[in-house]
Amino acid sequence: DFDSKKKRKLAKIYQALSSDPIDVATLRCMAIGEGGLLTDEIRCKVWPKLLSINTDDLPPLPGKELREDNKDFQQVLLDVRRSLRRFPPGMPDDQREGLQEDLIDIILHVLKRNPQLHYYQGYHDIVVTILLVVGDRLATALVEKLSTHHLRAFMNPTMDSTKHILNYLMPIIDQMNPEVHDFMQSAEVGTIFALSWLITWFGHVLSDLRHVVRLYDFFLACHPLMPIYFAAVIVLHRKQEVLDCECDMASVHHLLSQIPQDLPYETLISRAGDLFVQFPPSRLAREAAQQQAERTAASAFKDLELASGQQRRDAVLRQCFRKWPRGEERTKSILAKPRMPRTRTNRFAKLAVMGLAVMGLTVAAAVARSALEWAPKFELQIFP
């Protein structure tokens, strides 16, 4: 019964909040588990605890003086003005305009206090979600902590760190469904379709705020790489659509970039947590590095092939080169590192998914433990 489950969950959340010290591990499990944190009122209490923020000592509200001679102001202003759809439909114009002003001030405040951070387009989608849930003063503290931790990789001077995280996507898909992986590789679609998902925590691509804040419950309680696992399960959930698509970059990119709004969010969250346990970031880092090396080698081979074709006048030889449809890709897959036996991988996946129903919050607890442990070594793990 939904109502009784909700009451039990509420009781566990308030019990964890009233513990001395506060039971953060239980709060993480509650945020990850079915339904997340249930209400914005609870999020206002729990989100700060997940980020170790002292709500009794919040910073003062930022002032308008931050806009003077600020190198990011014009870009932030443009992005915020374009953010109309990120506000609940029917919100009065004066209320929305006031929130947009708060949004600008929060962003500039965080950037001013942390000059090592660099603004990126899409950052405002995360900030506006937090602002709508917790209000301006608490949002300022939450956004600053997020920016220096979970979002830190996206706020470097270049996109190299973001690209590195995107490289984790294909190894996850490969482990769970090699057919989809190989199809996407043949289509040469890459991972750019998932960029906006990752850097906005899906806030830019999902239209219903309820779904967005449910994902934020999940991501705030987890390791900073969890959004890439969630991106992978979305692709895997749409596997038949992908395989039915024309095998070319434009078609597959168009399909995947148009994210459905009626996703089975709770199911996908459970699967993402399961994948995190099966394929932790340390393992994915090795596989992503291997795939990057293989792509570099394949690119170098293409360059050599092109140079050879230009130097030789033998038309037959040039035709031979042209008749190698992704030949190096085929060779690459044959010579690549040994994979786990597919039947074994699929069996493990099925057992893990079945186990979620039996074990309840066991996977959530494992994921929550990883979130408690990641902070001191995260930067070393992701950016060796």
Side-chain angles (χ1 to χ4, degrees):
D1 178 66
F2 175 76
D3 288 337
S4 61
K5 286 170 66 177
K6 182 177 179 180
K7 288 178 182 177
R8 288 196 298 271
K9 186 165 194 176
L10 286 171
K12 287 183 180 180
I13 292 171
Y14 282 111
Q15 182 179 0
L17 285 169
S18 60
S19 298
D20 187 15
I22 290 172
D23 187 353
V24 178
T26 293
L27 293 178
R28 290 187 187 280
C29 286
M30 296 297 101
I32 293 168
E34 183 178 357
L37 294 174
L38 302 173
T39 70
D40 286 351
E41 180 184 0
I42 295 175
R43 291 183 178 102
C44 289
K45 299 177 184 296
V46 174
W47 281 5
K49 306 308 179 188
L50 298 180
L51 293 177
S52 301
I53 291 172
N54 181 5
T55 53
D56 295 327
D57 187 26
L58 293 175
L61 288 173
K64 304 299 181 187
E65 69 278 358
L66 290 168
R67 305 183 183 203
E68 298 172 8
D69 301 322
N70 190 299
K71 64 182 179 61
D72 296 302
F73 173 62
Q74 288 302 323
Q75 185 60 59
V76 172
L77 180 63
L78 288 172
D79 289 345
V80 169
R81 284 178 175 172
R82 288 194 293 258
S83 67
L84 293 180
R85 71 180 191 84
R86 296 289 286 110
F87 293 88
M91 176 178 282
D93 289 346
D94 57 345
Q95 183 182 357
R96 174 186 50 76
E97 289 167 2
L99 287 169
Q100 285 179 306
E101 293 298 307
D102 293 339
L103 180 56
I104 294 170
D105 293 338
I106 292 169
I107 293 172
L108 296 180
H109 173 80
V110 171
L111 295 174
K112 176 73 172 178
R113 281 173 48 88
N114 300 272
Q116 77 278 16
L117 301 179
H118 297 262
Y119 178 77
Y120 65 88
Q121 287 184 279
Y123 179 69
H124 71 287
D125 285 298
I126 291 181
V127 181
V128 72
T129 300
I130 295 171
L131 174 62
L132 287 169
V133 173
V134 304
D136 51 2
R137 194 170 179 204
L138 183 51
T140 303
L142 287 169
V143 169
E144 182 165 12
K145 180 60 75 74
L146 269 182
S147 301
T148 54
H149 291 77
H150 288 66
L151 307 179
R152 182 66 182 85
F154 311 141
M155 305 190 75
N156 284 334
T158 71
M159 288 190 63
D160 290 346
S161 300
T162 304
K163 291 176 184 175
H164 183 85
I165 295 174
L166 280 171
N167 285 340
Y168 283 37
L169 181 64
M170 295 307 290
I172 302 172
I173 294 171
D174 189 23
Q175 289 292 340
M176 297 307 297
N177 194 316
E179 184 181 9
V180 171
H181 171 272
D182 293 348
F183 181 90
M184 292 173 67
Q185 292 288 77
S186 295
E188 299 182 342
V189 69
T191 56
I192 198 69
F193 66 86
L195 176 62
S196 65
W197 305 357
L198 182 66
I199 65 175
T200 70
W201 278 9
F202 298 85
H204 185 72
V205 292
L206 296 179
S207 57
D208 193 326
L209 185 62
R210 293 175 304 161
H211 298 150
V212 177
V213 297
R214 172 64 187 103
L215 289 181
Y216 279 37
D217 291 341
F218 181 43
F219 296 152
L220 283 167
C222 292
H223 191 286
L225 283 177
M226 190 57 79
I228 203 69
Y229 288 84
F230 193 78
V233 298
I234 289 178
V235 175
L236 292 165
H237 175 70
R238 303 182 69 194
K239 60 186 177 183
Q240 199 55 54
E241 292 178 77
V242 173
L243 296 173
D244 289 343
C245 190
E246 291 291 328
C247 189
D248 63 75
M249 187 273 289
S251 300
V252 180
H253 176 84
H254 178 75
L255 172 72
L256 290 174
S257 61
Q258 304 297 310
I259 192 169
Q261 298 296 309
D262 58 346
L263 293 168
Y265 294 95
E266 296 301 332
T267 300
L268 297 184
I269 285 170
S270 293
R271 289 176 182 168
D274 175 49
L275 285 181
F276 183 91
V277 173
Q278 289 186 71
F279 311 113
S282 57
R283 177 175 173 180
L284 291 182
R286 293 191 296 271
E287 298 191 9
Q290 169 110 17
Q291 290 203 7
Q292 179 62 35
E294 290 169 353
R295 282 195 295 271
T296 301
S299 175
F301 180 82
K302 286 182 179 179
D303 292 342
L304 177 61
E305 177 185 339
L306 178 61
S308 301
Q310 290 172 340
Q311 292 167 8
R312 297 174 184 271
R313 296 182 181 275
D314 190 334
V316 175
L317 184 60
R318 289 200 301 271
Q319 288 176 2
C320 286
F321 277 123
R322 283 199 296 270
K323 287 178 182 177
W324 283 7
R326 315 191 202 288
E328 73 277 16
E329 295 292 333
R330 219 29 78 187
T331 303
K332 178 178 66 178
S333 66
I334 293 169
L335 298 179
K337 62 187 183 311
R339 291 174 173 168
M340 292 174 62
R342 294 304 174 188
T343 54
R344 186 179 172 202
T345 302
N346 291 339
R347 184 167 68 253
F348 284 169
K350 289 176 183 176
L351 287 172
V353 172
M354 290 166 58
L356 285 174
V358 176
M359 294 186 293
L361 290 175
T362 302
V363 170
V367 174
R369 281 197 303 274
S370 75
L372 288 167
E373 296 167 356
W374 71 267
K377 49 195 174 184
F378 172 62
E379 193 165 339
L380 292 176
Q381 286 178 348
I382 308 304
F383 315 120

